[in-house]
Amino acid sequence: MKSPVVYVRKVGKMLLNPIELLFSKIFTDQANPFFHLGTLSFFFFWIAAGTGLYLYVFFETSVAHAYESIEYLVNEQWYLGGIMRSLHRYSSAAMVVAVTLHLLREFVKGRYQGVRIFSWVSGVPLLWLLFLSAIGGYWLVWDQLAQYIAILSSELLDWLPIMVDPMARNFLNAEAMSDRLFSLLAFLHIGFPLALLLGMFVHIQRISYAKTNPPKQLAIGVSSALVLLSLINPAMSQAPANLDVSVTNVGLDWFYLNVFPLIELWGPGWVWGLLVAVSVLIVILPCLSPHQRKPIAVVDPPNCNGCSWCFADCPYSAITMKEHDFKKGHKQAVVNPDLCIGCGICAGACPSSTPFRSVDELITGIDMPDLPVKDLLKLTDKKAKKLKGDKPKVLLFGCRSGAPTESLEQDNVAGILLPCVGQLPPSFVDYIFRNKLADGVMVTGCCEEDCYYRLGNTWLEQRFAAQRFPHLRTTGAKRNIAVIWAGEQGNKQLAAKLDDYVHTLENEGHEDDLRFVKGGRDE
Amino acid sequence: MNKVRLIIYQILAYTFFMGFIAYLSSSPEWVHTLPDEATIKVSIRHSGKIVGECRDLTVTEIKNLSPNMKVPQECPRERSPVLLSIEMDDKLLYESNARPSGLQKDGVSTFYARFDIPSGNHFIKAVLRDDANNPKRAYRLEKHLEIIPRQVLVIDFKDGFIIK
């Protein structure tokens, strides 16, 4: 029986995939916001931090003047301080939206187990810090909303048996409030975001080439949207706080303050129960569904020349270099089994993975036990031999996380599926063209910016474009290789691109045309 | 998709994003208390009586104490729990028995509660007992109050009930 988590993920994927496809059509794969939720979270954080610094210059940390100082910014300095205040608030809201979607998406796409568990679990305290940072900010405005959340948050904290004197005593009436408490709140509103930033830094430590900046197009788009929103609908304070008068209606920020109505409806105990239960559930989620660990990369010291290309390409920093076991002055790759995700990108990077080597048995420097390079070579030869018919023959390399290739197999098209296309050594493409095993080679995989193994499609494309080692060598390969990042939903686009490719090969020949075909599902 | 249509769709997507952020940042409004309601906050910190009697030390016991620690009596530290009950218009509004804080149960007992009540005339009756060994010992309050809408009324205690 399958775990219910698997079904939840399936339903989530059914809902998410069409939305992502739509956004890819509108924004292109490169700038699809759903592929950049992590970097967008960073981006929104920086907007909130930058604008927060400006606001702090004018902010008065006293009960009597906090409200006034913000009103001054909003009314007297609306053109800058007012916009900054609105940006501060709206970017925080945008951040929680990005973070929530990021969490849901990683779950739905199954990117939270195995090696990724560190990032997954380290994200949970970040959620707490994010909410604490934001809630602390709402206190500082010291309006009716601040009064409401000050009373309820103190009641929530007082439920815990940690303080002798109830914190709520600080908010009994106007005379009970002190400036010292206000200074503490201001300090916390700086401290929590700093802790959040540190946590975000830790969160991305287990991945190499972690991106923290969204694409320029997206950054310009979202920041313009936030500025425009700040002008059209500036964030305003509610009536000033007065602890001698009870709060009736509050305009609640439902992104961050959604827990407060629950405190009123359920009581603090149940709310604590809910918060702890949700946090624990997120932490244990990786254990609630089966995760089959892929075989990890294995280094063969006699064939490792210490070039470090695998070290440079590993998306999870699982490879380090040490002194070679027996080649003096050389380095040798070492795989950390706890960090290796089993993608095979390292095998694709290894210069020893070339079929042109004069050896009895093709053994490469770093290889995958489930599909070694020698078996990949045999498979390529076998599939190529089966190609027949008058139409141009094409070998189609795909990946298990991309568009399915089985349905596209025909007499003249043979598909070879890899765990990740990054495992395909470019020399295999040279080998196919040099030995005329096929008229064309098409490579497909995950969408751009959305590789299941993070960097497989990026590195392979850079290898084909001679921007990253190992390069393509033969002219035929350089001219005739076709790359289509169709993604798992892109079967129709892939089929259409394959037809076009076959048609082009048929009509124009293949040897003399300069043609590095590249496409994605957004086209 | 042609470029103009693409830009239009992007603008629509950003507009949706802005609308979503703007709306949920302050709407829908949440009703905390009704406009004709008032709030009563019960907030009391009070130490119960020490449980048990002080005992006079014998001359030998005093002799055995260090020179800077010599005292004539040994007193227990534990305090009595404090019982508080509040009635409004002859209906029980709040009742709690607060244990003294601290590992030695020698600290202060605290109460905090918040109630939303209809505004108008009310009769408040409060009793605080701070000596479990002497149930007759009690502080009492009985008062007619005119409570206006949205008023925050605090019931505190310092040698007797205080209404603020």
Side-chain angles (χ1 to χ4, degrees):
Chain A
M1 205 179 104
K2 276 187 181 174
S3 155
V5 175
V6 177
Y7 293 107
V8 174
R9 264 174 26 197
K10 215 171 180 179
V11 173
K13 223 171 181 181
M14 276 164 58
L15 295 171
L16 184 65
N17 282 352
I19 301 172
E20 282 191 356
L21 192 60
L22 177 70
F23 273 79
S24 270
K25 282 183 178 158
I26 298 173
F27 288 89
T28 74
D29 277 341
Q30 293 92 328
N32 184 335
F34 283 89
F35 299 168
H36 297 280
L37 292 167
T39 57
L40 280 173
S41 304
F42 267 91
F43 186 67
F44 292 133
F45 175 86
W46 289 122
I47 295 179
T51 50
L53 278 175
Y54 183 83
L55 296 178
Y56 192 65
V57 171
F58 295 90
F59 183 68
E60 297 258 357
T61 50
S62 69
V63 184
H65 301 296
Y67 184 84
E68 281 173 23
S69 63
I70 294 171
E71 284 300 283
Y72 163 77
L73 281 173
V74 172
N75 297 316
E76 305 298 320
Q77 210 198 91
W78 65 268
Y79 49 89
L80 187 60
I83 292 174
M84 290 284 190
R85 191 261 174 110
S86 300
L87 275 176
H88 189 65
R89 180 150 165 194
Y90 291 140
S91 60
S92 317
M95 184 174 175
V96 80
V97 173
V99 165
T100 309
L101 287 174
H102 179 53
L103 185 145
L104 290 174
R105 187 173 187 272
E106 298 304 287
F107 166 67
V108 163
K109 301 269 174 176
R111 298 173 186 178
Y112 63 101
Q113 291 173 301
V115 174
R116 290 161 155 136
I117 205 163
F118 176 82
S119 302
W120 180 260
V121 173
S122 65
V124 177
L126 299 189
L127 292 174
W128 281 82
L129 287 169
L130 176 61
F131 276 82
L132 289 172
S133 304
I135 292 169
Y138 274 108
W139 284 45
L140 294 180
V141 182
W142 205 231
D143 59 355
Q144 295 265 293
L145 179 62
Q147 178 178 338
Y148 168 75
I149 58 171
I151 291 167
L152 284 169
S153 6
S154 57
E155 288 175 5
L156 184 68
L157 285 170
D158 286 339
W159 187 86
L160 300 173
I162 47 173
M163 282 178 284
V164 173
D165 273 335
M167 194 181 162
R169 280 181 69 85
N170 291 297
F171 307 106
L172 287 179
N173 49 23
E175 68 182 54
M177 266 300 278
S178 82
D179 285 351
R180 269 172 61 192
L181 181 75
F182 229 76
S183 303
L184 173 72
L185 292 176
F187 172 76
L188 288 176
H189 190 51
I190 297 169
F192 281 131
L194 282 175
L196 175 63
L197 181 62
L198 181 69
M200 284 156 72
F201 172 72
V202 172
H203 183 60
I204 55 170
Q205 281 310 295
R206 282 277 175 95
I207 53 173
S208 54
Y209 305 100
K211 283 187 188 171
T212 54
N213 294 319
K216 206 183 271 178
Q217 178 195 337
L218 200 55
I220 293 170
V222 290
S223 43
S224 310
L226 289 177
V227 171
L228 196 61
L229 177 59
S230 303
L231 287 166
I232 298 169
N233 187 41
M236 304 297 274
S237 304
Q238 297 178 25
N242 181 356
L243 286 166
D244 293 331
V245 177
S246 65
V247 174
T248 51
N249 291 19
V250 275
L252 217 57
D253 177 341
W254 290 91
F255 295 111
Y256 284 107
L257 309 177
N258 43 45
V259 83
F260 288 91
L262 290 180
I263 300 172
E264 289 192 76
L265 296 172
W266 297 354
W270 285 105
V271 170
W272 275 118
L274 176 77
L275 295 175
V276 172
V278 170
S279 305
V280 171
L281 179 70
I282 298 173
V283 170
I284 64 167
L285 211 49
C287 312
L288 297 182
S289 58
H291 173 66
Q292 203 176 357
R293 192 134 186 230
K294 293 192 173 66
I296 61 161
V298 177
V299 177
D300 184 61
N303 286 290
C304 176
N305 66 4
C307 66
S308 304
W309 293 355
C310 56
F311 163 76
D313 281 9
C314 180
Y316 289 91
S317 302
I319 298 170
T320 46
M321 303 304 293
K322 64 158 193 168
E323 284 303 311
H324 203 282
D325 284 347
F326 43 83
K327 289 180 192 169
K328 243 188 170 179
H330 280 73
K331 296 267 181 199
Q332 179 188 313
V334 184
V335 178
N336 181 341
D338 293 331
L339 299 182
C340 178
I341 201 164
C343 60
I345 292 173
C346 50
C350 184
S352 304
S353 301
T354 168
F356 295 110
R357 286 169 65 199
S358 310
V359 283
D360 294 335
E361 190 183 19
L362 180 59
I363 296 175
T364 185
I366 187 163
D367 212 348
M368 300 310 297
D370 55 340
L371 184 60
V373 169
K374 64 174 179 183
D375 289 357
L376 181 60
L377 182 62
K378 279 181 200 161
L379 189 65
T380 307
D381 283 331
K382 192 176 144 192
K383 289 274 186 177
K385 271 178 197 159
K386 282 189 181 169
L387 293 172
K388 56 188 177 188
D390 299 330
K391 284 185 173 179
K393 299 172 182 69
V394 174
L395 275 172
L396 174 64
F397 288 91
C399 80
R400 287 185 196 139
S401 312
T405 53
E406 299 89 351
S407 56
L408 300 174
E409 291 206 17
Q410 303 158 32
D411 285 349
N412 65 320
V413 178
I416 298 171
L417 217 54
L418 301 161
C420 172
V421 281
Q423 191 183 344
L424 178 70
S427 52
F428 269 60
V429 183
D430 290 320
Y431 173 78
I432 293 163
F433 281 107
R434 172 81 57 87
N435 296 314
K436 299 193 188 310
L437 298 182
D439 301 303
V441 173
M442 183 176 255
V443 175
T444 183
C446 305
C447 310
E448 282 187 278
E449 303 289 335
D450 193 35
C451 172
Y452 183 78
Y453 294 109
R454 296 190 58 244
L455 299 166
N457 51 10
T458 310
W459 287 170
L460 188 67
E461 195 178 309
Q462 289 185 7
R463 289 171 195 160
F464 287 163
Q467 293 163 351
R468 192 174 197 87
F469 289 116
H471 298 170
L472 285 174
R473 299 265 174 212
T474 58
T475 316
K478 286 177 195 168
R479 286 176 177 173
N480 290 288
I481 180 90
V483 177
I484 312 295
W485 303 127
E488 63 174 330
Q489 304 174 75
N491 8 1
K492 275 187 193 166
Q493 289 93 330
L494 180 61
K497 292 281 181 187
L498 182 64
D499 276 351
D500 284 351
Y501 183 55
V502 171
H503 189 70
T504 315
L505 291 172
E506 200 169 21
N507 291 340
E508 298 173 19
H510 59 88
E511 284 294 334
D512 305 322
D513 307 312
L514 257 177
R515 185 178 58 235
F516 175 72
V517 184
K518 193 202 151 193
R521 64 177 180 171
D522 47 293
E523 292 180 352
Chain B
M1 216 182 286
N2 78 44
K3 212 165 182 183
V4 178
R5 273 174 69 185
L6 209 68
I7 290 168
I8 292 170
Y9 287 139
Q10 284 190 13
I11 290 170
L12 283 175
Y14 282 122
T15 308
F16 173 78
F17 167 70
M18 291 190 292
F20 181 69
I21 297 283
Y23 180 72
L24 284 179
S25 285
S26 56
S27 315
E29 277 198 338
W30 174 256
V31 180
H32 176 49
T33 50
L34 296 170
D36 59 346
E37 280 184 338
T39 302
I40 288 186
K41 287 181 183 177
V42 178
S43 172
I44 290 174
R45 63 191 312 274
H46 179 68
S47 301
K49 287 284 156 216
I50 287 173
V51 178
E53 296 294 322
C54 291
R55 182 178 69 83
D56 290 335
L57 296 179
T58 61
V59 178
T60 330
E61 281 174 324
I62 295 173
K63 210 174 167 185
N64 289 339
L65 293 171
S66 347
N68 62 329
M69 301 283 281
K70 289 194 194 301
V71 281
Q73 282 191 319
E74 183 189 64
C75 294
R77 292 176 63 178
E78 187 179 339
R79 289 180 180 276
S80 165
V82 180
L83 180 73
L84 172 70
S85 75
I86 297 172
E87 285 179 21
M88 192 179 79
D89 302 329
D90 295 325
K91 281 183 192 157
L92 187 67
L93 185 68
Y94 177 72
E95 188 174 48
S96 179
N97 189 8
R99 289 178 52 180
S101 57
L103 293 172
Q104 302 289 336
K105 295 180 187 169
D106 57 347
V108 72
S109 296
T110 54
F111 300 89
Y112 174 83
R114 182 171 52 82
F115 306 95
D116 294 328
I117 55 155
S119 54
N121 281 311
H122 294 285
F123 179 62
I124 300 277
K125 219 159 100 178
V127 182
L128 184 140
R129 295 176 204 279
D130 60 1
D131 189 351
N133 293 330
N134 180 11
K136 284 184 184 169
R137 180 188 156 91
Y139 297 90
R140 292 174 195 279
L141 167 85
E142 288 187 7
K143 199 167 186 179
H144 282 282
L145 293 168
E146 169 76 33
I147 302 176
I148 59 167
R150 298 187 63 194
Q151 182 179 348
V152 177
L153 188 98
V154 179
I155 301 178
D156 203 343
F157 188 92
K158 193 171 184 183
D159 305 325
F161 284 101
I162 303 167
I163 291 189
K164 297 177 198 167

